Amino acid sequence: MLMMEELNQTPRPEPFDVIVIGAGAAGLMAAGTAARSGKRVLLLEKMEKSGRKVRISGKGRCNVTNARPPEEFMEHVRANRAFLTQAFAEFNNRATIRFFERQGVKLDIERGERVFPHSGKAWDIANALLEYCVDNGVKIRYETPVTEILTVSGRIFGVRYRNKHGFERKEECRQVILATGGVSYPATGSTGDGYAFAADLGHTIEELRPSLTPLRSSHAQMPYLHGLLLRNVRATLCFDGEAVREEFGEIGFSERGIEGAVALRLSRDAVDALIDGRSVKLVLDLKPALDAETLRERIAREIAELGPTELFAELLRRLVPKQLVLPLANELDIHSKVYLSKLTDVQIDRLIKTLKGLTFPVSDYAPFEYAVTTAGGVRCDEVNPYTMESLKIKGLYLAGEVLDLDADTGGYNLQIAFSTGRLAGLLKQ
C-alpha cells in the first residue's frame, strides 16, 4: 500500500539556482552563461518573445559591437568607465565577435570599426542569443512579468511573478540577475521596472534621461529639412556660447529632430546641459575641408563658370545638397532668384560664414521613445565591479542598461550589455 502511494505522488521539481529577469541582450547572455556552468536557470520575460530591442537595433541590422582596440573602445564609454573595466576585460569586444561566430553568425567589420551580422539581419543576433540559452538548458517563461524580488535578512530568496494566465506565483532561488534594460524604446518592454525593483531593495537610482536621442531645434528652417542627410560635416556643440565638443561625420534631419551618428553622440552632453538650464547650440561646418579663404576662391570660380546672369540658387546647388538650397537662401536673407552679378561682397562674406557655421539653437531633445539608450540608472558604486553582485543585497546581480552605464553610438552599448551580462552570469561570490 505504501509503495502504491509513493508511485502516485508527483515529484516536486527541483528549485532553480538562479532567476534572470529580462530576456534582452544582457539577460540572455547572463542566463546562457549561468546555465552553461551547470546552474538551473529560469529566465522570466514579460514580453511575448526575447531580444525585442536587439531585433530592431541598428535600424534592423544590429551593430553588435565595435572592433576598436580596448583602450580606444573604452574612450567611447561615457559614464562609469572605470567600473566597466573588469567586465570588459572578462568578456571584451573580441570575445563577443568569437562568441557569435561560434554560434554560427558570420560578422562583418564596417566603417568606424562597427561590427554587423553579414546577413544584415538583427534577428540573427537575437536568435543566436536565444539558442545559446536553449542549448544550455535555460527554462524560459514569456509573458511573465515579475512583480517583486523577495529577500530575507538582506539575501535573495526568490521572486514573485504573474504568469500568462494572470495568476500570482512565487519561485524560490538563491540568486537573481536583474537585466530589465532601461526606459528607451518602451514598446520593446523597456519600461524601467528594474529601477523600481532596485530602489525597493535599497539601491540609489541616478537621474534617468535619454541618451543618443535626436535634438530638437527652434530654427525657422527645420520644417523644410526633414529627410536631409549631410555627410562629412563637422559639428560643434556649444554651451552658453562656448565650444565644448566636436564631432565629424553624418547629420540627418527628421520630424524627430536633428539626428544621425554625429548628433546622437553629441546628444549625451546636450541633454545634460539642457536639464541644467544652459543655452545649447549646434554649429555645423558644411565645408570642413576648406578654410574660409579657400572657400572664397571656390565660390569665385563657381560664379565665374556660371556667369553673371545665372541665379543665386544655381551657385548654392554647386555648394550644398539640393534640399538645402532654399532653406540656406532664406537663412542668408538672399532671394534664390537674384542674379549672381547682383551679389555684394557682404553677401558673399555672409555665405562663407554660414557655410562654415550654420547654427541651430537646441531647444529640447526627443523623449525616451526615440532614444537609443538610457543615461542614469543604478549607481555603480553600489555594485561589485568584479562580480556584478549588489553590495546591498546578497545574491542580487545586475547587468546591462539597468546600471548607470552608457556609451556612444557605434556598437558600444550592446557590448556593455554583453560584458556585464557575461560577468553577472558567472555568479562569482
Side-chain angles (χ1 to χ4, degrees):
M1 184 66 178
L2 182 60
M3 290 180 62
M4 185 62 70
E5 288 177 356
E6 289 175 348
L7 287 172
N8 288 335
Q9 287 179 352
T10 302
R12 184 177 180 143
E14 289 183 44
F16 291 98
D17 299 308
V18 57
I19 295 175
V20 180
I21 307 173
L28 289 165
M29 180 62 78
T33 300
R36 193 161 182 250
S37 67
K39 299 283 189 180
R40 295 189 72 254
V41 181
L42 173 63
L43 176 56
L44 300 178
E45 169 55 49
K46 70 176 182 180
M47 305 301 283
E48 77 287 352
K49 66 175 66 169
S50 65
R52 288 195 56 171
K53 191 172 178 182
V54 174
R55 295 173 195 273
I56 65 168
S57 66
K59 298 181 180 178
R61 296 182 62 220
C62 188
N63 188 176
V64 182
T65 187
N66 193 287
R68 294 182 189 278
E71 61 279 4
E72 290 183 23
F73 183 102
M74 294 301 286
E75 289 175 1
H76 291 269
V77 178
R78 304 302 305 283
N80 294 303
R81 185 180 302 164
F83 173 85
L84 182 65
T85 301
Q86 186 59 36
F88 186 73
E90 188 86 43
F91 192 79
N92 63 16
N93 48 358
R94 296 295 174 183
T96 294
I97 292 170
R98 289 193 299 271
F99 171 85
F100 283 106
E101 288 181 339
R102 288 190 190 117
Q103 288 293 120
V105 182
K106 185 178 179 182
L107 301 173
D108 292 334
I109 299 177
E110 300 184 5
R111 181 171 50 86
E113 299 297 300
R114 296 172 302 159
V115 181
F116 292 89
H118 179 73
S119 65
K121 296 177 181 177
W123 282 67
D124 289 349
I125 299 301
N127 289 342
L129 288 166
L130 180 59
E131 287 170 9
Y132 178 59
C133 290
V134 172
D135 291 347
N136 284 293
V138 176
K139 174 73 174 177
I140 306 175
R141 295 178 189 165
Y142 296 109
E143 299 177 89
T144 306
V146 171
T147 57
E148 186 182 3
I149 297 175
L150 304 173
T151 63
V152 60
S153 301
R155 175 183 288 274
I156 291 290
F157 85 90
V159 303
R160 201 180 303 278
Y161 62 89
R162 192 167 55 251
N163 66 21
K164 63 172 60 179
H165 304 295
F167 296 109
E168 282 271 324
R169 294 286 185 266
K170 183 178 79 171
E171 196 78 53
E172 294 185 6
C173 65
R174 293 178 60 84
Q175 294 162 316
V176 164
I177 299 175
L178 186 59
T180 47
V183 288
S184 58
Y185 290 126
T188 64
S190 297
T191 53
D193 304 351
Y195 303 125
F197 294 141
D200 286 345
L201 296 174
H203 276 283
T204 307
I205 310 300
E206 291 292 345
E207 181 184 6
L208 306 178
R209 58 257 193 235
S211 185
L212 306 183
T213 195
L215 298 173
R216 292 178 170 169
S217 175
S218 57
H219 195 292
Q221 301 305 314
M222 281 295 293
Y224 308 104
L225 300 179
H226 294 177
L228 174 65
L229 178 64
L230 299 173
R231 293 186 171 89
N232 302 319
V233 299
R234 179 178 294 115
T236 303
L237 187 65
C238 300
F239 299 158
D240 300 328
E242 181 180 346
V244 295
R245 190 174 172 195
E246 190 178 277
E247 292 281 350
F248 180 86
E250 293 184 354
I251 286 276
F253 297 82
S254 76
E255 66 282 355
R256 294 179 293 273
I258 306 172
E259 47 189 13
V262 165
L264 293 185
R265 288 197 295 269
L266 293 174
S267 72
R268 175 65 162 78
D269 294 327
V271 169
D272 286 348
L274 288 168
I275 290 172
D276 290 342
R278 304 183 73 177
S279 168
V280 179
K281 291 182 179 180
L282 189 62
V283 182
L284 304 185
D285 183 348
L286 304 181
K287 298 293 179 184
L290 306 176
D291 60 27
E293 275 311 304
T294 306
L295 181 56
R296 186 184 301 278
E297 293 168 4
R298 159 86 184 275
I299 291 170
R301 287 197 304 272
E302 299 291 359
I303 291 174
E305 286 182 18
L306 288 166
T309 58
E310 192 56 86
L311 303 179
F312 181 54
E314 291 304 316
L315 172 62
L316 292 183
R317 284 192 183 98
R318 293 194 173 196
L319 297 171
V320 298
K322 182 179 179 181
Q323 189 179 345
L324 189 54
V325 168
L326 288 180
L328 188 57
N330 291 335
E331 172 77 1
L332 293 165
D333 196 23
I334 302 174
H335 199 286
S336 63
K337 293 186 178 180
V338 72
Y339 292 121
L340 291 180
S341 61
K342 300 293 185 181
L343 283 181
T344 66
D345 290 341
V346 171
Q347 288 174 322
I348 295 292
D349 288 343
R350 196 156 72 242
L351 171 60
I352 293 168
K353 184 178 179 181
T354 302
L355 289 173
K356 296 293 290 180
L358 181 57
T359 300
F360 292 86
V362 178
S363 54
D364 200 358
Y365 50 88
F368 285 111
E369 285 80 358
Y370 304 114
V372 174
T373 189
T374 305
V378 176
R379 281 186 57 156
C380 289
D381 60 4
E382 298 175 355
V383 178
N384 186 337
Y386 295 93
T387 64
M388 294 294 122
E389 186 177 19
S390 164
L391 296 175
K392 293 181 174 289
I393 302 294
K394 190 69 176 173
L396 174 67
Y397 295 77
L398 303 100
E401 202 174 346
V402 74
L403 291 163
D404 183 17
L405 288 170
D406 65 281
D408 289 333
T409 184
Y412 303 100
N413 288 289
L414 264 180
Q415 182 61 53
I416 289 174
F418 296 139
S419 294
T420 56
R422 181 73 165 208
L423 185 53
L426 293 174
L427 299 167
K428 294 180 178 180
Q429 296 292 320

